[in-house]
Amino acid sequence: MAEVLKKGAPEPVETKDVREALKAKEVKENANAERAQSSEKTKADMEKYALNKSVSPKEPSLVVFNNDGGAVASHKPVKKQIQFADEKQEFSRFPTKTGRRSLSRSISQSSTDSYSSAASYTDSSDDETSPRDKQQTNSKNSSDFCVKNIKQAEFGRREIEIAEQEMSALVALRKRAQGEKPLAGAKVVGCTHITAQTAVLIETLGALGAQCRWAACNIYSTQNEVAAALAEAGFAVFAWKGESEDDFWWCIDCCVNMNGWQANMILDDGGDLTHWVYKKYPNVFKKIRGIVEESVTGVHRLYQLSKAGKLCVPAMNVNDSVTKQKFDNLYCCRESILDGLKRTTDVMFGGKQVVICGYGEVGKGCCAALKALGAIVYVTEIDPICALQACMDGFRVMKLNEVVRQGDLIITCTGNKNVVTREQLDRMKNGCIICNMGHSNTEIDVASLRTPELTWERVRSQVDHVIWPDGKRVVLLAEGRLLNLSCSTVPTFVLSITATTQALALIELYNAPEGRYKQDVYLLPKKMDEYVASLHLPTFDAHLTELTDDQAKYLGLNKNGPFKPNYYRY
């Protein structure tokens, strides 16, 4: 017993367990305290970041930017991907105008470098060098072209292939006639919008035997990738989106003034090419075998030349053919007006007061589209017949001066000049949107807005705010040029109808026997109009009823047409 007492009694088991439990509790409390301290430090760091304070270089960033430019939280230490304000990086500064444009372009551009139609109406290349200053060649080693970037050709070819699917009638005409080569020997100089749809027309003319040189009729409507695809295919194309006025005329001259090559046919849209050849190259103009014109502006110029006795070649007025007027002008504009306005302004049409200047086929299409979406539409007209049509269709016909103060949106589509004057622009309400659906940029007096007292502010591609001294803003689209082709796209199927009409008009004028057409302006033969329409009917699986011999005799018609006289109004 004494020995046991000398060694000491063994420690009770329960006392040992209690001590270990107390020790574990102490360790746990210390750990919690450390985590709380770390949390407070992290919170303080995040507050510093939010206030744009400096962050210790040793601290891992808690904010990571993903590939889309968005911010996501990260709980893992990562390599620092950005530097903050105290490290003097431009990322955290407010960007300059150039910086904003570049940043916007880099964010919006597809990571797959796709040059789709939508991309064509934004900047598709960071290269600001003028195409005139570049030395480019295609895969065939040819440099007889001037486009934005020949490397975009592959993407342009995809656009053209998509367009061909909706232009089956024009492709069918190409297949039927390419064996005969009805345009063999034809040297066609063209000036139209250069889009995927017109590219199908140009390649069709080439397949039918024509040699083609092409420029753009509008400085904003060219699809750069399509122009590149045409250049790669061997066509002499001189066009790019965003040309200056000087570039515009230089491109036309490059098409006309080519050593060893002289045009004998003209396909024009607006009359600028015809005017240039007439003024600058009168000897070439006299040798032209025919002119095909598709716009009201260009047709007006041709009739002026004819009236003055200065038109020395036959010309075909495609604009007033039924297949152009009733389909391209009406149905095309009915859809594309909305597309152009939505892309540029994001405006809601319901309840808006809209003024349409002109109630021709283009005006009718615009009115129908905007009325269907709930807009309150007014019409201005000089022609009593068109004015009466507008009234019968349920629109108020008024003078522009009577409604200019209340209009939310004003659209010109007359083909005239100074339809909207500076005085009327001064009276418009703040935020009024103004645009043009006519071919020429003369309808809105844009030149009068370029004065020192007015400020121009570019807010996005093809959208300018014109600011008055009192702070009033008017939203001007495409600088008064054609809205749909400058700011959006147009329905491919409708353009197939127009392109087929143009191709047949060229074939008719080039192959017509001497004496059939004199030095004057002609409408497309009715039989040809009907043929164009018939080529497009299979798309809808439409089946025409055929006249019996007795019925044809009763009406005094040929069973195969034409079915209407030239004076008939559809």
Side-chain angles (χ1 to χ4, degrees):
M1 183 66 166
E3 190 175 346
V4 172
L5 290 173
K6 185 178 179 181
K7 292 181 178 179
E11 187 175 20
V13 175
E14 52 269 44
T15 303
K16 184 178 180 181
D17 292 341
V18 169
R19 287 183 180 180
E20 289 179 354
L22 290 173
K23 187 176 180 180
K25 182 178 180 181
E26 183 181 353
V27 171
K28 184 176 181 180
E29 287 176 350
N30 290 339
N32 288 339
E34 289 178 2
R35 279 196 292 270
Q37 185 178 0
S38 176
S39 178
E40 288 296 319
K41 184 178 181 181
T42 300
K43 183 178 179 181
D45 288 344
M46 292 183 72
E47 289 175 352
K48 287 181 181 180
Y49 176 77
L51 294 172
N52 207 21
K53 299 289 185 179
S54 63
V55 176
S56 172
K58 297 181 181 180
E59 286 292 325
S61 173
L62 296 176
V63 178
V64 181
F65 284 83
N66 60 25
N67 292 334
D68 296 326
V72 296
S74 174
H75 300 291
K76 298 179 181 180
V78 295
K79 291 183 180 180
K80 186 165 56 177
Q81 298 188 23
I82 62 171
Q83 293 175 317
F84 301 112
D86 61 333
E87 295 173 283
K88 299 181 181 180
Q89 288 294 312
E90 291 186 358
F91 183 88
S92 61
R93 297 177 184 174
F94 190 82
T96 61
K97 288 184 177 179
T98 303
R100 283 198 300 272
R101 186 164 59 247
S102 299
L103 182 61
S104 172
R105 190 158 52 223
S106 65
I107 290 173
S108 63
Q109 195 173 40
S110 169
S111 61
T112 58
D113 291 330
S114 172
Y115 291 92
S116 64
S117 293
S120 298
Y121 297 100
T122 60
D123 292 327
S124 59
S125 173
D126 289 335
D127 186 4
E128 300 298 332
T129 305
S130 171
R132 292 171 64 174
D133 298 329
K134 295 179 181 179
Q135 295 293 329
Q136 301 184 82
T137 58
N138 61 17
S139 61
K140 302 177 181 67
N141 242 6
S142 172
S143 59
D144 187 19
F145 62 87
C146 189
V147 299
K148 184 71 174 179
N149 187 354
I150 190 64
K151 294 179 181 179
Q152 297 178 3
E154 182 182 348
F155 301 104
R157 179 53 52 190
R158 296 175 192 170
E159 294 276 356
I160 296 170
E161 289 171 354
I162 292 171
E164 286 178 343
Q165 296 174 14
E166 274 281 285
M167 303 180 78
S168 55
L170 184 59
V171 174
L173 175 65
R174 179 195 301 179
K175 291 178 179 178
R176 289 184 188 183
Q178 65 181 356
E180 302 173 8
K181 301 289 183 188
L183 291 177
K187 296 181 178 179
V188 182
V189 59
C191 184
T192 65
H193 302 282
I194 296 184
T195 63
Q197 295 82 13
T198 52
V200 180
L201 169 62
I202 295 168
E203 293 189 338
T204 297
L205 299 180
L208 300 186
Q211 298 177 33
C212 300
R213 299 180 68 82
W214 229 264
C217 69
N218 186 299
I219 64 174
Y220 293 129
S221 64
T222 298
Q223 290 178 274
N224 287 330
E225 66 277 13
V226 171
L230 287 170
E232 175 61 31
F235 292 95
V237 175
F238 297 82
W240 60 92
K241 185 178 177 66
E243 299 170 6
S244 66
E245 290 289 333
D246 181 62
D247 293 333
F248 175 79
W249 294 111
W250 178 84
C251 288
I252 288 178
D253 193 71
C254 285
C255 290
V256 179
N257 186 18
M258 172 65 179
N259 291 331
W261 192 92
Q262 183 171 304
N264 54 25
M265 299 292 293
I266 292 176
L267 199 161
D268 208 356
D269 184 353
D272 291 319
L273 171 60
T274 302
H275 174 79
W276 185 261
V277 177
Y278 172 76
K279 289 289 187 181
K280 298 290 183 179
Y281 303 97
N283 291 331
V284 174
F285 191 74
K286 292 176 182 177
K287 296 178 182 179
I288 295 293
R289 295 175 62 170
I291 300 171
V292 175
E293 173 59 55
E294 73 154 312
S295 76
V296 64
T297 304
V299 167
H300 180 65
R301 289 179 171 182
L302 287 174
Y303 280 121
Q304 285 181 324
L305 284 176
S306 179
K307 187 176 181 180
K310 297 178 180 179
L311 184 63
C312 55
V313 296
M316 194 73 78
N317 171 7
V318 168
N319 180 73
D320 291 315
S321 65
V322 177
T323 45
K324 170 68 165 61
Q325 278 279 352
K326 291 295 178 181
F327 298 94
D328 195 334
N329 292 14
L330 175 61
Y331 299 117
C332 175
C333 293
R334 190 174 68 181
E335 296 192 19
S336 59
I337 179 64
L338 301 178
D339 187 18
L341 288 170
K342 285 290 188 183
R343 289 198 196 200
T344 51
T345 66
D346 302 314
V347 67
M348 184 172 182
F349 301 113
K352 292 291 191 298
Q353 300 198 58
V354 180
V355 183
I356 308 290
C357 300
Y359 201 67
E361 299 300 333
V362 174
K364 287 180 174 71
C366 294
C367 285
L370 290 162
K371 180 182 179 181
L373 291 184
I376 303 165
V377 181
Y378 301 91
V379 171
T380 72
E381 249 302 340
I382 61 170
D383 187 328
I385 296 175
C386 291
L388 183 58
Q389 286 180 313
C391 291
M392 297 294 287
D393 288 336
F395 302 109
R396 286 289 305 277
V397 178
M398 306 182 75
K399 293 182 179 179
L400 181 57
N401 285 332
E402 297 172 340
V403 292
V404 69
R405 288 187 182 276
Q406 64 199 64
D408 297 301
L409 173 60
I410 296 176
I411 304 170
T412 59
C413 38
T414 68
N416 205 344
K417 62 180 290 188
N418 295 334
V419 178
V420 179
T421 64
R422 172 60 189 271
E423 179 186 358
Q424 292 161 334
L425 289 161
D426 287 336
R427 295 173 58 198
M428 289 178 187
K429 67 192 291 187
N430 182 51
C432 179
I433 301 168
I434 183 165
C435 63
N436 171 47
M437 280 291 286
H439 174 83
S440 180
N441 63 335
T442 59
E443 302 203 28
I444 303 167
D445 190 6
V446 176
S448 69
L449 298 176
R450 301 188 186 279
T451 54
E453 74 271 15
L454 300 183
T455 302
W456 283 60
E457 181 180 86
R458 175 57 60 94
V459 294
R460 62 172 66 166
S461 179
Q462 308 300 338
V463 182
D464 291 291
H465 281 182
V466 183
I467 308 171
W468 269 251
D470 63 357
K472 183 190 85 170
R473 293 171 179 251
V474 167
V475 183
L476 178 65
L477 305 183
E479 297 184 23
R481 296 180 184 273
L482 181 60
L483 174 72
N484 55 2
L485 279 161
S486 296
C487 302
S488 61
T489 58
V490 292
T492 300
F493 180 79
V494 170
L495 290 189
S496 173
I497 299 173
T498 301
T500 306
T501 304
Q502 290 171 306
L504 288 174
L506 281 172
I507 293 171
E508 172 66 15
L509 284 177
Y510 184 70
N511 291 282
E514 188 175 350
R516 177 182 292 179
Y517 297 106
K518 299 179 182 179
Q519 299 170 352
D520 205 348
V521 184
Y522 293 87
L523 288 173
L524 197 70
K526 182 70 65 176
K527 183 70 176 175
M528 204 171 294
D529 250 336
E530 293 176 353
Y531 178 65
V532 171
S534 68
L535 285 175
H536 289 83
L537 289 177
T539 302
F540 304 99
D541 194 24
H543 304 274
L544 288 172
T545 302
E546 296 180 5
L547 289 173
T548 65
D549 292 337
D550 188 50
Q551 288 174 325
K553 183 178 180 181
Y554 177 77
L555 293 174
L557 298 175
N558 187 309
K559 288 180 63 175
N560 299 316
F563 299 98
K564 300 288 190 297
N566 286 331
Y567 56 79
Y568 182 82
R569 296 291 177 262
Y570 290 82

